[in-house]
Amino acid sequence: MPLILSNLAQFAIHITDTIMLGWYDVTALAASTIAGTMFFITFIVGAGFAQAVTPLVAAAAEENDDVQVRRVTRMGLWLSVFYGVAITIPFFWTEKILIAIGQDPAVAELAQIYLWIAIWQMVPALIVMVLKSFLAALEHTAIILWATGGAAVLNIFVNYALIFGNWGAPELGIRGAAIASLSVTAISVLILLIYTLRRLPQYQLFRNIWRSDRDVMARVFRVGWPIGLTSLAEGGLFSAAAVMMGWIGPIPLAAHGIAIQLSGLTFMVHIGFSQAATVRAGRALGRKDELALRRGGKTAIAMSACYALATSVVFVVFAEQLVGLFIDPDEPQRAALLEVGVSLIILSAVFQLVDGLQVMALGLLRGVQDTAVPMIMASFSYWGIGLPCSYVLAFPLGFGPAGLWAGLVVGLALAAVTLSWRFWGYAVYRATA
């Protein structure tokens, strides 16, 4: 539960930006959608190294190997920082890149303004991910919730001040949203560092922080890079969808941003279940306990499926009300945004079911440190099947935004089936042999 709530709190930071920028200006909303997508897909690649820390630390902790816990976490931090520094360079040409791929020049200009500030958030955000993975693997999840929840609340107040110019602050619009996100990420790093040093001194986490450990680094890299590329494949699928939606027009792109935010909000619960499944699978792996691995997998998938069914019903029944939350009642283009947004929200009801199942399978596979083959399966499902279906349905067949989202559902459904087969048909036996 703390993992689920902390994921919701983390997402609240992003959804706050979307809601407030939607109230501020539709063009700013479209720009934050495309800019946020670009930031996210680069971030999740580096986050693969952080996510590799969870199963490796969980297995080491089950074996009472405190030294290995420290080494794995330290090398996860190294790899994350190296990646975070290197990936910032292309973002200084955001506007030119977006115009080259067919985005509206006004949207591209605002997106560049946002990213020139937000990019400095990359390294701190990756450090936060490593520390959260370390703490989750050791089942210290309450601090993750409190730190992330506090950051989400602070983000609301900073956004309100800087986007609109309230409480004597300057009106910075999209710049204010970027500054708010950067500030709360820096504060999150400090909170998690202080907690780790004070509550878990036995691991001496930052002892010899500059000392390299090639074997452990190689292991973290070997488990982490497929996780990062799998996340890139999925995140890239949604980024490509955002680009194609931009080809249709600013209104569909803004509606897509709203639908993605709502789907992403509910998806955070599935992520929490998946993270818990990774920890339990990692500990079962450390004990070579096949029964615990099977029971944990069945329980996590069943809980995720029940939640997906419930949220699907809510999306269908309250589609118009949910979309309306993101749009100023006096916005001249409100009716057009509602029409497109409602159709996408109804499709996302089906989306919830397949997306939840595929992320649960990925979490269980990561727990048993099986990441390379699942990366291939997921990437083919997303890009070999899902994206072509989206393009064909949206453009040649003329179904527009709804067709684009239907293609995403097809790709995620194939991923859910193949990844589930990989876990139950192969990984369980291999992990406990």
Side-chain angles (χ1 to χ4, degrees), residues 326-350:
F326 292 80
I327 310 170
D328 190 328
D330 298 324
E331 169 60 47
Q333 302 180 85
R334 179 182 173 88
L337 275 168
L338 280 173
E339 181 181 359
V340 179
V342 166
S343 67
L344 299 185
I345 289 299
I346 291 173
L347 274 171
S348 71
V350 181

Side-chain angles (χ1 to χ4, degrees), residues 127-148:
I127 292 174
V128 167
M129 283 293 295
V130 174
L131 294 174
K132 285 182 176 180
S133 295
F134 162 78
L135 292 166
L138 298 176
E139 302 187 12
H140 283 253
T141 54
I143 181 59
I144 299 175
L145 170 59
W146 290 113
T148 311

